[in-house]
Amino acid sequence: MTDFSLTAQHTEGDLALAHVAGELDIATAPRLRAQALALIEQGHRHLILDLGAVTFCDSSGFNALVGIFRCAKTVNGTLVLAAVPDRLERMLDLTGLSAVLPAHPTAAHALVAHTRSQDTTPA
Amino acid sequence: MPQAEHATGPAGTPGRRTLSAAEAARMDAVRRYDILDTPPDGAFDRVAAMAARLFKVPVASVTIVDEDRIWFKAAHGLEGVSEISREPGLCGSAILADETLVIPDTLTDPVAVNNGLVTGPMGVRFYAAAPIITGDGHRLGTVNILDTQPRLITKDDTATLADLAAIVLDEMEMRLAALNALRTEQERRIEQEEARQRADQDKNAIQAFASTLQRTLLPPALPVVPGLELACHYATASPQNVGGDFYDVFPLGGKRWAFFLGDVCGKGPEAAALTSLTRYTLRAAALIDPDPDVVLTSLNTALLLDPAIGTRFCTAVFGVLEPHEREGFTVTVATGGHPPAYHLRASGSVEAVQPKGGMLIGALAGAHFASLTIHLGPGEGLLLYTDGLTEARTLGGDMIGEEGLTRFLAARTGPVSAAEVIEDTVDLIDAMPHGAGDDVALLALSVPLADAADGLTATATAHSIAPAGETSESRP
């Protein structure tokens, strides 16, 4: 009924960049969660979610993001968001998650930031 | 040609109370066909009529030999006779052997000569009977022919009579098979009906259980708090799904009261269990240290430590009310990732009570919370809500949103009444094309104006619980 898609575009090593498009609601949130968790399970413990094409996000979508974040954390990974819709950004602020979930204006910014953080991380 | 053989079977003696094993087994077979005392049946009548015609005798019958009588399933030429006593000589003897019994002249037969049919008005002189033998060897009765004249019949004739008896047995077998099929079908229908009733009962029990559980997740009614008007509304998106929204108002001792409202992520029994844990933890934590910041920190720790909770978390607003020295209440509020409470004034001013930095509860270790203190004066109110309200969609498909809710609340002016705020907000939800679409919990607190408070003998408390999509009429 509601449109939703998750396309993993840039997947090398332990990093995955996934473009999320459509509506994040009670119908699609479980798919977002399942597909993102599958990427983490495949070894991409650092996940960048590009939300630029997300047209709608309610608390179900938000809950899915929290679930993904906590899953990444259990394998010492990270969840980074890019192009966060206004409403979701307010929810992240409201819940204090903006402090632990880095958000970047675009996926490119997020990739650059990730590369830098990898460079500074001791091998 | 077989001649009369009068073996004296044990059952052949009238008045015997105990049956031989063989006769008991034969009677079991008779009963199995369930044919005794059934109404006349065309198929059997035709066999009797055919026998009479074939052998050119005035009387032919199909009999079933019961324990103590000979019952006529079909009787051609014997109008009005349905049974006779089981005395030896004719049918009583015929069922004692597998062969067809032929008595060419009853007056010369030592046993038949004393039979009632022979000595009585019928004056039977000729008798021939083929036993009806079941597949397992039981002789149920006979197909027989009678005449008032002595006569002889050929070997072919006796074979024909035996064939007629076999036809009768076939008919009885078909009848039994149909009867059994019918019984099986009836049993199956009864079983299905019983299964359906059981399923209905189970379903009702489960629903009753769920709604009972759900009731335990809600305060039965808000308490009466002196100097404060309280009202609330609770609606689940579906009556079957126990909701994850919760609220409570309870005394802290002295003149202080605590209140909270929140939302557990997800739905169903697991969310309900978390709701329950959250409510009791908040109550218990507040009794140890009512500082809202500390209470939410305790809840965060409790949720993270409970392995049964899994990855679920919640959001909540928790507040403490203390009567202000002059008028109204001092309210200290902490939020944990929850939309802010709204401070409503008579002017129509709507102010979000939003302490900076309150995080989700039960999602992160070391989450921090912050609190804020306001003064709730006479004619002012506080509205707490769950996001089912702001996420309700308008006709255009947009959510009401915090902006929409703020605009709606700002349009209300005059002294704030908790009951009216709840009533109007429920009307707002009901005006949406699909209602809330999710669970909604609302809690409002207001301080009546001094003169209004004087007129009140008790503070008004309104409480409504209704499934979403239905107009809630239960407010007193």
Side-chain angles (χ1 to χ4, degrees):
Chain A
M1 200 170 70
T2 36
D3 291 334
F4 165 81
S5 70
L6 182 144
T7 320
Q9 187 211 20
H10 190 280
T11 54
E12 53 182 47
D14 54 8
L15 175 69
L17 166 61
H19 299 282
V20 184
E23 301 195 354
L24 298 182
D25 58 16
I26 191 141
T28 59
R31 288 158 62 194
L32 167 66
R33 186 187 161 97
Q35 292 179 30
L37 259 49
L39 285 172
I40 294 170
E41 267 168 31
Q42 287 158 23
H44 308 294
R45 61 194 170 102
H46 297 294
L47 188 59
I48 299 172
L49 288 182
D50 174 10
L51 306 176
V54 170
T55 53
F56 176 91
C57 180
D58 69 5
S59 53
S60 312
F62 171 79
N63 290 346
L65 290 178
V66 175
I68 297 163
F69 164 70
R70 290 178 67 171
C71 176
K73 243 180 74 164
T74 58
V75 291
N76 290 320
T78 54
L79 173 63
V80 172
L81 305 179
V84 179
D86 286 351
R87 186 180 149 73
L88 184 58
E89 195 168 0
R90 281 206 303 282
M91 284 166 97
L92 292 171
D93 287 342
L94 185 69
T95 54
L97 285 189
S98 45
V100 290
L101 264 180
H104 296 274
T106 66
H109 283 85
L111 278 172
V112 169
H114 177 78
T115 314
R116 281 198 190 127
S117 73
Q118 292 298 296
D119 289 344
T120 54
T121 308
Chain B
M1 185 182 300
Q3 292 296 310
E5 279 176 49
H6 295 294
T8 312
T13 317
R16 264 190 84 103
R17 303 219 170 214
T18 28
L19 304 178
S20 70
E23 174 61 5
R26 193 194 70 81
M27 278 312 301
D28 280 347
V30 168
R31 288 191 197 97
R32 188 169 74 222
Y33 290 91
D34 200 10
I35 194 167
L36 284 169
D37 299 311
T38 53
D41 185 319
F44 299 97
D45 289 345
R46 273 194 293 280
V47 170
M50 194 156 81
R53 216 166 39 241
L54 277 172
F55 296 99
K56 299 187 173 62
V57 292
V59 176
S61 70
V62 176
T63 62
I64 303 296
V65 178
D66 194 359
E67 206 174 312
D68 52 4
R69 62 175 176 154
I70 293 161
W71 179 78
F72 292 85
K73 176 61 193 170
H76 179 89
L78 273 177
E79 306 313 323
V81 179
S82 66
E83 62 180 59
I84 55 171
S85 70
R86 180 172 172 180
E87 54 179 312
L90 305 179
C91 283
S93 300
I95 62 148
L96 298 176
D98 284 344
E99 294 81 32
T100 298
L101 170 69
V102 179
I103 305 173
D105 186 349
T106 55
L107 297 185
T108 63
D109 185 279
V111 182
V113 72
N114 294 318
N115 188 283
L117 292 180
V118 176
T119 57
M122 265 192 73
V124 172
R125 291 292 300 274
F126 165 77
Y127 177 84
I132 301 163
I133 308 170
T134 64
D136 51 350
H138 294 295
R139 295 181 288 271
L140 306 178
T142 65
V143 171
N144 58 73
I145 49 176
L146 293 81
D147 200 349
T148 51
Q149 304 295 323
R151 57 190 290 173
L152 292 170
I153 59 171
T154 63
K155 201 173 179 182
D156 280 355
D157 289 342
T158 56
T160 301
L161 203 57
D163 282 345
L164 289 175
I167 288 171
V168 166
L169 182 75
D170 286 346
E171 192 60 40
M172 287 175 70
E173 291 291 358
M174 277 194 290
R175 199 178 156 281
L176 180 62
L179 214 60
N180 283 341
L182 201 68
R183 282 193 190 121
T184 309
E185 173 62 17
Q186 269 170 347
E187 278 164 18
R188 197 181 59 84
R189 222 177 296 149
I190 289 168
E191 269 169 30
Q192 272 181 344
E193 176 61 17
E194 282 171 354
R196 198 185 57 76
Q197 282 177 356
R198 267 197 308 278
D200 278 356
Q201 281 169 356
D202 288 353
K203 202 174 123 205
N204 291 341
I206 289 166
Q207 268 181 8
F209 184 61
S211 53
T212 303
L213 264 183
Q214 187 167 341
R215 272 199 298 281
T216 68
L217 301 179
L218 293 169
L222 292 176
V224 172
V225 178
L228 195 71
E229 183 185 323
L230 287 171
C232 59
H233 168 81
Y234 178 84
T236 53
S238 104
Q240 281 83 20
N241 228 337
V242 184
D245 289 6
F246 60 90
Y247 59 86
D248 204 355
V249 179
F250 59 98
L252 286 174
K255 288 179 173 178
R256 290 192 305 174
W257 292 78
F259 62 89
F260 60 79
L261 174 141
D263 183 359
V264 161
C265 80
K267 288 198 197 315
E270 285 173 51
L274 177 53
T275 303
S276 198
L277 174 68
T278 299
R279 284 186 66 228
Y280 293 115
T281 304
L282 285 174
R283 268 182 171 252
L287 292 177
I288 297 167
D289 184 346
D291 179 344
D293 197 343
V294 175
V295 169
L296 292 187
T297 304
S298 302
L299 178 60
N300 188 61
T301 308
L303 296 188
L304 285 171
L305 286 178
D306 195 325
I309 297 301
T311 59
R312 291 179 181 271
F313 51 86
C314 75
T315 68
V317 175
F318 183 93
V320 172
L321 293 157
E322 194 166 11
H324 189 264
E325 53 190 17
R326 285 203 315 280
E327 54 182 13
F329 286 84
T330 300
V331 188
T332 305
V333 179
T335 61
H338 200 82
Y342 285 119
H343 185 182
L344 314 174
R345 293 190 176 84
S347 62
S349 130
V350 179
E351 200 176 325
V353 183
Q354 194 159 24
K356 289 265 173 279
M359 296 174 74
L360 275 187
I361 307 165
L364 304 164
H368 45 83
F369 308 96
S371 58
L372 194 68
T373 300
I374 61 161
H375 176 243
L376 198 65
E380 297 180 3
L382 201 59
L383 172 67
L384 290 80
Y385 66 92
T386 55
D387 57 13
L389 169 60
T390 43
E391 291 190 353
R393 299 219 201 179
T394 63
L395 202 56
D398 297 327
M399 296 187 282
I400 290 177
E402 282 164 36
E403 300 80 4
L405 178 60
T406 311
R407 266 202 309 279
F408 168 78
L409 293 171
R412 310 177 77 263
T413 53
V416 177
S417 150
E420 284 172 22
V421 170
I422 295 297
E423 205 169 311
D424 293 350
T425 311
V426 171
D427 285 347
L428 171 71
I429 297 169
D430 290 342
M432 296 298 128
H434 305 293
D438 194 2
D439 301 349
V440 176
L442 305 172
L443 176 65
L445 306 74
S446 65
V447 179
L449 293 174
D451 53 343
D454 289 344
L456 290 171
T457 50
T459 310
T461 296
H463 190 125
S464 74
I465 297 178
E470 280 180 28
T471 323
S472 46
E473 301 288 359
S474 56
R475 283 183 303 279

